[in-house]
Amino acid sequence: MATPYAQFDLEGTGSTQDDAARLLADRAAVVVSATRQSAGRGRLGRGWTNAPRALAVSVGFRSGWPPDTWPRISLVAGLAARDALGETLRLKWPNDLMRGGFKVGGILTEAGGSTVIVGLGANLFWPRAPVGYGAVFDRVDRVPGSSPLASHFADALFERLDRGPDDWGHDEYRAVCVTLGQDLRWEPGGSGRATDIGRDGSLLVLTAGGPEALMSGEVHEVRHADADVRD
């Protein structure tokens, strides 16, 4: 059964994450979208820069998943973003959307108590993007409206979450994850080669000291060993 939600489509706002947390109140779920944010944030509180045509959407709900499985929700959201934005996108563990080797968006998951707020920020059209960044669409006339994109993302996210934490999309994620096979550095202080995605959503890496499993909530930053662009 589809999760019912109230949708709020804004032209501009400070942060859709903050809006979703405020508007959830006693509702079952909320979806807040905007084309501009003045105080958007990425993972670890970093700022988020809007492309000329961008989408910010945050989905707030109360999760029935056990809290120890919540790190998988960001990975599920990445798959839902591909459902909404197109299957040419690839996923960089744990929270980036990639197209043609360029970062075009990201996922931010924040939780407290039983409440989870999942945010998607996507650069829809960006003709002169900074180095390392790109956009989902090459032509502005092909960019769909933000409201239907937000609805599509929310519907896909809830449909996937309804399958439960054991059926979160492990094999599908592995197939579209660009991180696998890459030499990586991560904070705090680690390096190795990404070898697989665990059933629990962890990134399995081979280090000089042997195999390790990285969880998204425990790792501050993951980047290619030769990357100069900060994630």
Side-chain angles (χ1 to χ4, degrees):
M1 180 177 178
T3 299
Y5 57 82
Q7 183 163 343
F8 302 86
D9 299 314
L10 311 174
E11 183 175 345
T13 189
S15 164
T16 58
Q17 290 289 100
D18 294 340
D19 292 337
R22 174 177 54 83
L23 291 167
L24 184 58
D26 59 353
R27 297 180 173 94
V30 296
V31 176
V32 181
S33 74
T35 56
R36 297 192 318 276
Q37 292 186 107
S38 60
R41 59 182 178 271
R43 196 162 176 256
L44 303 177
R46 296 176 185 142
W48 180 263
T49 302
N50 285 324
R53 287 291 300 273
L55 170 69
V57 54
S58 294
V59 182
F61 57 97
R62 291 174 181 83
S63 178
W65 286 22
D68 64 341
T69 67
W70 286 2
R72 302 174 207 177
I73 292 178
S74 288
L75 309 188
V76 174
L79 294 172
R82 293 184 74 245
D83 294 335
L85 297 172
E87 295 186 349
T88 60
L89 299 186
R90 295 293 181 261
L91 303 176
K92 177 183 172 184
W93 188 94
N95 65 321
D96 287 346
L97 309 179
M98 309 294 294
R99 178 174 180 253
F102 298 98
K103 181 175 177 177
V104 300
I107 302 293
L108 174 64
T109 301
E110 299 176 317
S114 63
T115 299
V116 177
I117 310 292
V118 176
L120 164 65
N123 304 321
L124 300 180
F125 180 69
W126 207 348
R128 289 178 292 278
V131 175
Y133 295 84
V136 178
F137 300 97
D138 295 322
R139 289 172 41 180
V140 69
D141 59 345
R142 292 183 177 174
V143 178
S146 60
S147 180
L149 280 178
S151 299
H152 194 172
F153 172 66
D155 291 341
L157 177 63
F158 285 128
E159 190 277 328
R160 289 177 174 276
L161 291 174
D162 283 347
R163 302 176 192 175
D166 294 329
D167 187 20
W168 64 269
H170 171 263
D171 293 343
E172 185 181 356
Y173 192 94
R174 287 179 73 247
V176 298
C177 182
V178 299
T179 311
L180 299 183
Q182 298 293 325
D183 292 321
L184 307 173
R185 291 178 293 176
W186 58 88
E187 298 295 339
S191 64
R193 171 161 289 200
T195 60
D196 207 348
I197 301 294
R199 290 282 175 184
D200 61 355
S202 60
L203 179 66
L204 306 183
V205 295
L206 183 62
T207 73
E212 294 185 21
L214 308 181
M215 297 300 298
S216 61
E218 300 170 349
V219 176
H220 296 167
E221 180 179 34
V222 175
R223 53 182 167 171
H224 292 174
D226 58 352
D228 293 323
V229 176
R230 188 174 180 84
D231 295 331

